[in-house]
Amino acid sequence: MDILQMVSDGDAQPVTDPVQIAKAAHALSQLLEKEWDGEKALWATLLRALCRLAETAPADNNKGWLPTSITNAVDDLGEKSWKNLGDVSAKSRINNHWRKLGANLAIRKNNIITRGPQFGLLFEPRSEVIGEDGKPDPKGGRGKKARYCLLFFPMPTEKSAPSSKGTTPQSGVSESPSILSSAVSVPHGAASEQQGDSSPLVPENYIQYYPIPLTTFRLMRLPADGLSMAGWVGRLLLVSMTGSGLAFFLLSVLIFLLVLYASSVLDFLRNLIVSGLLLIMLRVAFGWWLNLIQNSVARAPFWWQPFTFGDNVIERRLDPNGTAPASLHLVRYVADCPLCGAQRQGLSAVRLDSGRIEFYGRIVGRCRHAPNEHVWSFDHITGRGRFLR
C-alpha cells in the first residue's frame, strides 16, 4: 500500500507578501501558545519576539532584524534581563538560543505541517541568519551587521512512496490518506454546515492523533533525538528504576510482616492504613516505569507533566533495523474530536488521559468537552484511534 511522504523543495523561496507573512506569524504564535502550551524556554520567547516583529512590520521581515530590535521585543514580552543591551551583548544573547530555536522548529516540523493549518498557518517557518552581504549565513552571522529572521516557506509537497516497517508518525510519515489536504473529521450530518463538500471526510468512529515532540519540561530534559538507553544517562535511569522496583518489593514484604505481627487490632488497622498509603505513593512514583517496560509507552510521571493537563507520554522507541539501542522520547499527542465538529469548536479537543476503571491500564484520548462520553483508543505507533464509547 502506498503512503504519502512529505519532501521539502530545496529550491523553494520564502513568502514575500506582507499580508501572508503577518498572518503566518500570528498563526505560529497561536500554535505555540495553544498547542505547545506556551513553552517557557527562552528559545520560545525568542520565537514569540520574532513573530511579533513579523506581524507588526511584515514588509521588513525578510530583510532580517538587528539583534537590538529582537532583544527589545523580548524585553517587551517580560524578559527584563534582555533590556537595553548593546549591539555586542544583544548578538551574544541571541546566539546563545538561536541554534536551539532552529532545532525545536525542526523537531516540530511534522506538527507544524499537520496542525498548523488548523490555526491558519499555511507556511513552514525557518530561522535563518543573513550576513552582511544580504545572503543566508549558515555559520551564524559572524559579521558585525548580521540580521536574524524568521522566514516562511511553502509547505513541503507530497510524494508517493512505498510503505516500510517501523514507520511512525514521529518520523514525518503518516499512513492517513493525506495529512496535508484532508480535513479533520466532523460528524456526517454537520458536513454541509461546517465545510461543505470541498474536503474528504473520514468515519466518525476514527480519530487521528498528531505528535508534538518535547525536549524540556519543568525539572527534566530529554535530547531532541531521544535519550539513548545505551548512554550513561540512560543506563543510570535504567539502574535507578530497576533498583526502585527491588526496593518496592522489599518494602512490600516489610509492610506485610508489620501488618501480620501487629500486637493489637488498633495496631493492625494503623499499619494497614499506612501500608496502603505507602503503596499508593510508590505506585504513583514508579508505576509509569513498569507500564513503559510492558507497553513501550506510558503516561509521563508528574514531574514531566504540565500543570494544566497530564497528557505527556514517554515512549520507548526501538530501532527498526535492530542495530541501535532503544531511546526514550517525551511526546504530547493532540487531536480533534470528530463527534464535536472539531475543526472549529473542538480545536485540539482530545488529550491523552487515564483509562480509569472502565479501560484500566490503557491510555485513552478524552475530549475536553465530553470526557466521559467521547472516549477514543490510542495507538502511539500508527497515531490512530477508534471510538470506545
Side-chain angles (χ1 to χ4, degrees):
M1 179 180 67
D2 288 343
I3 57 177
L4 292 173
Q5 185 174 15
M6 294 176 294
V7 294
S8 297
D9 185 356
D11 298 328
Q13 298 297 316
V15 176
T16 58
D17 181 18
V19 176
Q20 291 182 330
I21 292 175
K23 289 182 178 179
H26 178 75
L28 179 59
S29 63
Q30 291 296 303
L31 178 67
L32 189 155
E33 297 299 333
K34 295 182 179 180
E35 195 138 294
W36 301 351
D37 282 350
E39 276 272 9
K40 301 302 187 295
L42 285 175
W43 70 263
T45 305
L46 186 58
L47 179 59
R48 289 188 188 91
L50 290 168
C51 287
R52 176 173 290 190
L53 289 171
E55 190 174 356
T56 303
D60 300 328
N61 183 69
N62 289 16
K63 302 175 184 177
W65 307 97
L66 291 173
T68 52
S69 299
I70 298 176
T71 54
N72 289 336
V74 173
D75 170 49
D76 292 340
L77 293 173
E79 291 290 339
K80 298 304 179 184
S81 61
W82 293 55
K83 186 176 183 179
N84 297 328
L85 295 178
D87 292 338
V88 176
S89 298
K91 183 177 179 180
S92 176
R93 187 70 60 89
I94 293 173
N95 285 341
N96 288 338
H97 305 284
W98 192 256
R99 285 189 177 181
K100 192 172 293 185
L101 168 62
N104 276 278
L105 285 177
I107 65 175
R108 287 167 168 81
K109 179 177 179 179
N110 186 54
N111 175 255
I112 291 172
I113 292 173
T114 55
R115 297 292 296 168
Q118 306 296 326
F119 294 84
L121 180 60
L122 305 179
F123 304 98
E124 178 192 349
R126 301 180 196 171
S127 57
E128 288 193 6
V129 181
I130 298 178
E132 296 182 39
D133 56 359
K135 298 180 180 180
D137 182 5
K139 294 184 179 180
R142 293 183 294 179
K144 294 182 179 180
K145 297 182 180 179
R147 290 173 173 263
Y148 301 80
C149 54
L150 182 69
L151 302 179
F152 294 93
F153 289 80
M155 287 290 192
T157 56
E158 299 176 359
K159 176 182 178 181
S160 296
S163 61
S164 60
K165 292 184 179 181
T167 301
T168 66
Q170 292 84 356
S171 64
V173 182
S174 173
E175 292 184 356
S176 59
S178 173
I179 57 177
L180 297 179
S181 60
S182 63
V184 177
S185 308
V186 298
H188 293 292
S192 59
E193 297 178 4
Q194 295 196 18
Q195 61 184 29
D197 298 325
S198 59
S199 301
L201 295 175
V202 293
E204 279 184 8
N205 61 352
Y206 163 90
I207 194 171
Q208 180 70 47
Y209 294 94
Y210 297 101
I212 304 175
L214 304 173
T215 55
T216 59
F217 211 89
R218 296 190 34 198
L219 302 179
M220 306 299 292
R221 175 178 175 82
L222 286 178
D225 56 350
L227 176 63
S228 173
M229 301 305 294
W232 71 269
V233 177
R235 290 175 179 174
L236 179 62
L237 180 63
L238 181 62
V239 170
S240 63
M241 292 297 99
T242 304
S244 65
L246 179 60
F248 174 79
F249 172 75
L250 296 177
L251 189 58
S252 300
V253 173
L254 178 61
I255 291 173
F256 175 77
L257 294 176
L258 289 176
V259 173
L260 182 63
Y261 292 100
S263 58
S264 65
V265 175
L266 184 60
D267 288 340
F268 173 82
L269 293 176
R270 183 177 63 243
N271 291 343
L272 188 63
I273 293 174
V274 172
S275 302
L277 293 176
L278 190 55
L279 290 175
I280 292 174
M281 293 174 62
L282 289 172
R283 174 62 183 173
V284 171
F286 304 113
W288 67 273
W289 181 253
L290 298 177
N291 294 336
L292 183 63
I293 294 175
Q294 293 174 345
N295 306 320
S296 293
V297 63
R299 295 184 67 205
F302 62 87
W303 56 85
W304 260 330
Q305 294 289 1
F307 290 107
T308 51
F309 298 98
D311 54 355
N312 291 351
V313 296
I314 292 184
E315 297 178 2
R316 180 171 64 96
R317 297 183 187 170
L318 304 177
D319 178 38
N321 300 321
T323 57
S327 59
L328 296 182
H329 294 259
L330 182 65
V331 188
R332 177 180 302 132
Y333 286 88
V334 296
D336 294 325
C337 183
L339 298 180
C340 294
Q343 194 172 16
R344 288 178 170 80
Q345 295 93 340
L347 188 64
S348 300
V350 177
R351 295 293 182 104
L352 298 184
D353 200 351
S354 168
R356 303 177 186 173
I357 297 178
E358 184 176 5
F359 306 104
Y360 182 75
R362 297 179 62 179
I363 299 175
V364 300
R366 294 185 183 274
C367 176
R368 295 184 189 179
H369 306 295
N372 290 323
E373 301 301 329
H374 300 177
V375 185
W376 307 84
S377 67
F378 168 68
D379 185 334
H380 71 288
I381 298 298
T382 63
R384 292 181 177 180
R386 58 183 178 82
F387 184 65
L388 295 177
R389 71 173 177 87

